[in-house]
Amino acid sequence: SLEHEASIDDLELPEVDFFGVEYQEDPLAVCQAAREMAWAARTPLGPLVVTHADVNDLLRYPEEQMVEMDPATMLRPETEDELSTPALEDWLTALRLFMGPDSPHVRLRKVCSTLFRPSVIDGWRGSMREVAERLVGEFGPVGECEFVAQFANLYPAHVFARIIGLPEEEVPTFARWSGDIGLTFVRPLAPVRERAEAAIVGLFCYV
């Protein structure tokens, strides 16, 4: 449980490979097997808490008692120079906005919270339904789809685009950047570095 005094790096934990054949074929079975062995597992992206009770404990853990981690450690570079490119240094600077209970992100979130009150979001439900129906309409006649690529990745991007006024024709590019920027957490980074850096540059220059 979360009462462990030892570092999670020192524990004997099962491995969950998000990119492995077993996970791709049956992710639920892989996670269930890991859950039977321990409360957490190692993954290519870092530790994964796999038990419901411990996830709830983490969500309730006081922010002021959390140990602040530098994003450079989160990205787990293989060498000191791996994160030294201008694009990745900009990404690290942005990630540091989210760190710690007194982070700029907490203050900015309080300022913007009124824009996402339930009463405000209710006004967007018609647009949300319209986006969902349009996306489903594109693959509905076929009777099947690749859900993540054809709906899950696109739906939030299209809805958010409407809220912030992003032109509809630019949403696919924006959605691609948003997905590719997460590749900075993949190790080894070299095979996907070009896509990750292109996403960082694209998003930052657009903003």
Side-chain angles (χ1 to χ4, degrees), residues 89-147:
E89 288 176 352
D90 286 344
W91 178 229
L92 284 173
T93 300
L95 286 176
R96 290 188 176 105
L97 292 174
F98 294 84
M99 305 304 294
D102 296 321
S103 68
H105 174 252
V106 174
R107 297 191 291 274
L108 291 171
R109 188 174 59 189
K110 290 178 180 178
V111 172
C112 297
S113 62
T114 56
L115 300 175
F116 298 96
R117 290 189 308 238
S119 59
V120 176
I121 296 301
D122 282 343
W124 288 100
R125 299 219 179 264
S127 291
M128 294 175 184
R129 191 173 297 107
E130 181 183 330
V131 169
E133 290 174 350
R134 179 168 58 79
L135 292 175
V136 171
E138 292 177 0
F139 57 75
V142 180
E144 63 180 14
C145 72
E146 204 299 303
F147 184 77

Side-chain angles (χ1 to χ4, degrees), residues 55-75:
V55 168
N56 281 333
D57 284 347
L58 278 173
L59 292 173
R60 290 192 288 264
Y61 200 79
E63 284 191 3
E64 62 272 11
Q65 294 182 27
M66 292 184 179
V67 177
E68 186 169 338
M69 180 184 293
D70 187 84
T73 303
M74 293 169 56
L75 294 178

